[in-house]
Amino acid sequence: MKYREIIEKMTLEEKASLMSGKDYWTSNDIERLGIKSMFLADGSYGIRKQKKASDKIGLNIGNPSTCFPTAATISNSWNEDLAEKIGEYLGAEAVDQKINVLLGPAINMKRNPLCGRNFEYFSEDPYLAGKLAAGYIRGIQSNGIAACVKHFAVNNQEQRRMTIDTIVDERTLREIYLTAFEIAVKEGKTKSIMSSYNKVNGTYANENIHLMKDILREEWKFNGCVITDWGGSNDRIRGLLAGNELEMPSTGGETNEEIVQAIKSGRLNEKVLDECVDRLLDLIFTTEKALNESYVKIDIEKHHRISQRVAEESIVLLKNKDNILPIKPNKKVAVIGEFAKEARYQGAGSSIVNPTILDNTLDCFEESGIVSIGYEQGFERYGKTNKKLISNACELAKKADVILLYIGLDEYVEVEGLDRNTMSIPKNQIELLDALYKVNKNIVAIISCGCALEMPWINKVKGLLHGYLAGQAGARSILRVLSGDVNPSGKLAETYPIKYEDTPSYNNFPGEEVSVEYREGPYIGYRYYDTVHKEVLFPFGYGLSYTTFEYSDIEVNKNSVTFKLNNSGSVAGMEVAQLYVGCKSDKIFRPKKELKGFAKVFINAGETKTIKIYFDDKTFRYFNVKTNRWEIESAEYEIMIGASSADIRLIDSIWIEGNNTELPYDKSNLPSYYSGKVTDVGLEEFEKLMGKKVPISTLDKKKKLGYNDTISQCKYAKSLIARISYYLMIFIHWILIKLGKREKANIMVMSIFNMPFRGISRMTGGIINMSMLDGILMIVNGKFFKGTAKLIKEKNKLVRSKRNK
Ligand code: BGC
């Protein structure tokens, strides 16, 4: 142990006290030993250090800081160096605000397009997400503080995120849901990891020995700290046994006392606690040193410009019929759509940033050189149809050569804590488009949102630019692409299905009340569409440019692939060349191709560059569930270089000698997985893939409600009062929506409906302890008088013990 000397000086109570937060954002300190508390702050695309640091639920607005584009946006840049740059700037701002641990990046896989937090995640592909995350982490940590990559693991939905049990087979877990984390640990060298709220195969992620010990510590040699997601600790002792150093936020000392008791009773060996303390001290001391030693003066303007550059590289041109873009000089442009005035540029929830500067499209027009003849709102932001706005917009459209139509999703639709209901944009925006199309067919739509959409209206637009959530400088960046000052080079990091029903997890999202079964196995995103030849709207890796690129001269050897890339158009541009690998043997089921490398290259018009992409330990591997190891199958592999997953330009193949170990599957048992047709996998076949029975996914409505049932499950409660309270909550939620208070309604879903009962104690900083919660649960389960008596008794006990301290 590195800090044995200090640890030996600590009392048991002092050691235990370090294992949980002091308040919502800080860890505990021990003054007499010079151990300071750390400040932990969100987030993933900008700093959210709350002005009033310790409000109990962490909702106060943050200090101003640069709002960079969100991860869903930046992933479209496919540029690891750029990710590292953002990391450096984020880290510098964190140091400036005295933050030891920056809670990001968030790297969960986009299993389903409706996940409410997809805007904060990178991709449906683990390799791309992992590489970009590693860049972020290197950048953040170059400032001496810690990144905290999150949410480990298999947290791919918001619905019931704090209780849902994700049932996933071992190979899919390793290949799809853990690979990005593996890269973040091994290549990014993240100093901390946030465990996710959900269960993985029956055990809370935070307590899951397989995840936390076998894989994270033993296989990946992770030596940093694991921090719970806020309120995500279930059984503190089990969490500690799995190697969880820090529980956040504060539980008012309750769980520290549990640790002390567990050691006294022999349930926990003090050595386990000492090791956790040792790792935590390392995090505290090293980040504290960095905060003391580094002085950074933040140049707000410069950070804003960096944010703009990042957005410019991330914007994706999806359609450009008749080369309507870039806008030709002297064309009269009508600007229509509420988002041109009030940009949608970031997400919502714990990641929300209070920007230092905010560019506005209408203000940036003049410098763009595009000639605007006026602006019309066109639609109401929150979905209400407004005929007057449409007719005003049409009047303006009639006078224009080109319409720039700013559409998208509002800030209450894609948020942390709840999933979207649909993949479409609001009806009132489509009505506007239909009306405009009748008067002027030269429409360029600019989309602002952080996720994939259905676009049945696509034939009505000639140009389509997806800005995603482009950060505080996004408005200007978009205009620079529209005007041609910037040649777009973003490519989609997720597939756009034609309709939601095409999604491989459509039948298994968001699962039942107890669990969600990942029956589609490894076939998420393009891995599915490509394997079964399902037509999509836009494939993974797709994006247009104002120039064209020719690929030629592929050469493959055991270590790398080399090819030539020529800019055959008339303007300079950047291309994202993608390496996909497919196995020609069919002994083990696999997606037809998988991303194994990529290169983003700038090429002048007419120039040719030679590109080399090296193979690595992930190029040919698969996880063998029989040998419980990564293996390489001896086989012929196809090496494909593409401009997208569906646009393969060069193919070669190579024989790779593998380890020829026992094959993991009996093909006849897993027909859906061998064909890739996984949308309707039956329970029996899924259980064969899992290698075991899967738990019942529905709630036993007759059983008593317990710590890990959600508050919304009060609808099944024995007690009439609890059931009435449930319907009252539904009513309040309905009223809030009707009154247009959607933010409050969303918070209600996140922090009440989907909250397990245990959260009442874990999230109230010691105001309600677990013994009081027992009283509450007795009331909920029909023992009103006994429960009330218990609640009062425990409350008094708590008050007395606080008074005596
Ligand atoms: C989110 C985390 C975030 C934490 C602190 C949680 O609800 O899931 O991503 O870092 O809150 O705000």
Side-chain angles (χ1 to χ4, degrees), residues 24-25 41-43 48 57-58 103-104 106 117 120-121 150-151 155 158 161 194 197 228-230 349-351 416 750 763:
Y24 204 83
W25 296 118
D42 286 304
R48 183 174 72 106
I57 48 170
L103 304 172
R117 230 172 157 177
E120 219 180 324
Y121 300 148
K150 61 192 187 183
H151 312 85
N155 173 192
E158 292 302 280
R161 64 176 177 164
M194 187 188 288
Y197 285 131
T228 64
D229 198 344
W230 266 233
S350 62
S351 62
E416 176 178 335
M750 176 172 81
M763 296 289 274

Side-chain angles (χ1 to χ4, degrees), residues 662-730:
E662 206 182 347
L663 289 177
Y665 304 114
D666 173 351
K667 200 170 172 177
S668 62
N669 279 339
L670 303 167
S672 312
Y673 297 102
Y674 273 86
S675 66
K677 293 184 182 142
V678 289
T679 46
D680 288 307
V681 176
L683 181 63
E684 203 184 321
E685 189 176 347
F686 182 53
E687 288 188 334
K688 285 197 176 126
L689 177 72
M690 292 288 299
K692 60 181 173 207
K693 283 246 162 269
V694 303
I696 292 170
S697 56
T698 48
L699 191 74
D700 173 2
K701 292 172 188 135
K702 287 202 198 92
K703 80 168 179 63
K704 283 187 188 165
L705 293 177
Y707 292 152
N708 290 327
D709 293 307
T710 62
I711 295 177
S712 66
Q713 283 159 350
C714 269
K715 67 176 164 207
Y716 310 122
K718 273 229 168 79
S719 141
L720 181 64
I721 303 176
R723 290 199 308 273
I724 291 176
S725 316
Y726 167 77
Y727 288 106
L728 195 66
M729 285 187 297
I730 295 285

Side-chain angles (χ1 to χ4, degrees), residues 8-27:
E8 277 170 359
K9 289 188 194 140
M10 290 181 188
T11 63
L12 177 56
E13 285 71 17
E14 279 174 334
K15 289 182 207 171
S17 77
L18 291 178
M19 297 289 100
S20 71
K22 184 175 177 177
D23 55 32
Y24 204 83
W25 296 118
T26 62
S27 65

